[in-house]
Structure formats: structure tokens, C-alpha cells
Amino acid sequence: MAAYGSALQALGDPTRLAVFERIVARPRAVGELAAELPVTRPAVSQHLKVLKDAGLVIDRADGARRIYQLNPAGVEAIRDWLDGFWDEALAAYKRAAEAGEDRQ
């Protein structure tokens, strides 16, 4: 599966999306995320593992805990994929507009 595919699949879970959105706002530890969400610390850890495996977050040690933060490269893969659709849509719009002008 392409990088954007696993990232989109990871974000398809509502709880995981909520975890990701909090990490986008600022780096956080598992305990902090669990305190903000209606899920347990082990559940948050599992969601973070999926996000990390999808390349959307990275972590670093801070004493005995791990701090999770956004992985810009993972988000860039999604953006590049979406930009490809945007470029195709604009090109198709241009072709349609030019074809309409030719008919007039």
C-alpha cells in the first residue's frame, strides 16, 4: 500500500483521528492524551503505534516517557497525493472550458 494509503487508513478511525489532531496541535505523551480522551492509556498506545507505523507520528524519549509529535514527511505524502488530484482536476477543468469555447 502506498504511504498515503496506510496514512488515510490510520486516520479512518475516529479515536485515532482525535489522537492525531491533538498531536498536530502540539507534542504529547501517552498519559496526557489518555487524560483528554475517553480511552485508556493502553488504547492510546495502540492508536499511536498505528499512527507511527503509518508514518504520521514520530516519538522521542523524555526520561521514562515517550513524546509523540507530527511527522511532517508522513503528512507530506498525503498532501502530495491530494495535490495530484487537484492538478488533475484543474487540467480537466481547463480542457472542458477550452472545449466549450471552441463550440461557441
Side-chain angles (χ1 to χ4, degrees):
M1 180 179 295
Y4 65 82
S6 60
L8 291 173
Q9 187 174 21
L11 294 174
D13 178 87
T15 302
R16 201 169 301 124
L17 180 59
V19 168
F20 180 74
E21 288 172 339
R22 283 166 174 77
I23 291 172
V24 168
R26 67 179 170 79
R28 297 172 198 245
V30 174
E32 185 179 356
L33 290 162
E36 297 175 8
L37 296 164
V39 293
T40 63
R41 287 174 65 116
V44 169
S45 292
Q46 286 299 313
H47 286 298
L48 288 167
K49 181 184 180 330
V50 173
L51 291 169
K52 187 175 177 182
D53 289 348
L56 292 170
V57 301
I58 54 178
D59 63 328
R60 62 180 165 77
D62 182 33
R65 61 188 193 149
R66 310 274 328 150
I67 304 297
Y68 290 83
Q69 62 190 49
L70 176 74
N71 180 4
V75 175
E76 185 177 358
I78 296 172
R79 182 175 179 169
D80 289 346
W81 179 70
L82 290 172
D83 283 347
F85 280 111
W86 181 247
D87 292 344
E88 289 176 29
L90 288 177
Y93 179 77
K94 180 181 177 188
R95 286 191 302 274
E98 290 170 349
E101 288 176 2
D102 291 342
R103 290 186 207 148
Q104 294 178 357

